Structures are given as C-alpha cells and as structure tokens.
C-alpha cells in the first residue's frame, strides 16, 4: 500500500487504444501509414498531401488515356 503522497501507478494522461477493427483504429492506422510514407520520401505535412493529390490525378489521367486510346 502506498502512502498518500506516493506516485500513482499510471499517469493521469494515459489513454487506451481503440479496439482492433473499429473505424477509429482503422483511421489511426491510415494516418500512421501516410506519415510513414512521407517520412520515407522525406516529405511531411501539406507537401505530402500535394504530392498524393498530384499522384492521384496522374493515375486517373493514365487510366483515362488507356481507356480512350484503346
């Protein structure tokens, strides 16, 4: 038994992780994956979003080009 002035076992700011398979867990994992991709590429923050949007536009353009020219 601890005395009145002893430290608590858990910090007051500790927070449980969401259950596996829930929407909040999936969103957290996606955010972490995007951040990891940005770290590997050396890009972070808004610059990563710009690169992702431009990449998506290029992908859609390539698919449309294949459909139109075939």
């Amino acid at each position: 038994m601890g005395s009145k002035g002893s430290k608590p076992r858990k910090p007051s700011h500790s927070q449980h992780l969401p259950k596996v398979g829930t929407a909040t867990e999936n969103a957290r994992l996606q955010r972490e994956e995007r951040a990891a991709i940005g770290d590997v590429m050396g890009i972070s923050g808004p610059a990563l979003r710009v690169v992702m949007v431009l990449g998506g536009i290029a992908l859609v353009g390539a698919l449309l080009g294949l459909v139109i020219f075939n």
Side-chain angles (χ1 to χ4, degrees):
M1 297 285 230
S3 63
K4 184 177 176 182
S6 67
K7 288 185 355 181
R9 290 189 322 150
K10 289 189 345 185
S12 61
H13 65 275
S14 67
Q15 190 175 25
H16 293 286
L17 292 173
K19 290 187 177 183
V20 175
T22 60
T24 54
E25 169 68 6
N26 292 339
R28 184 184 67 83
L29 287 174
Q30 286 180 351
R31 259 185 273 115
E32 287 179 0
E33 283 295 322
R34 286 188 198 108
I37 290 170
D39 288 342
V40 168
M41 292 173 32
I43 304 170
S44 63
L48 178 61
R49 287 194 179 103
V50 169
V51 168
M52 292 265 211
V53 168
L54 291 176
I57 291 171
L59 180 64
V60 169
L63 290 173
L64 286 175
L66 282 173
V67 169
I68 291 172
F69 293 119
N70 273 339

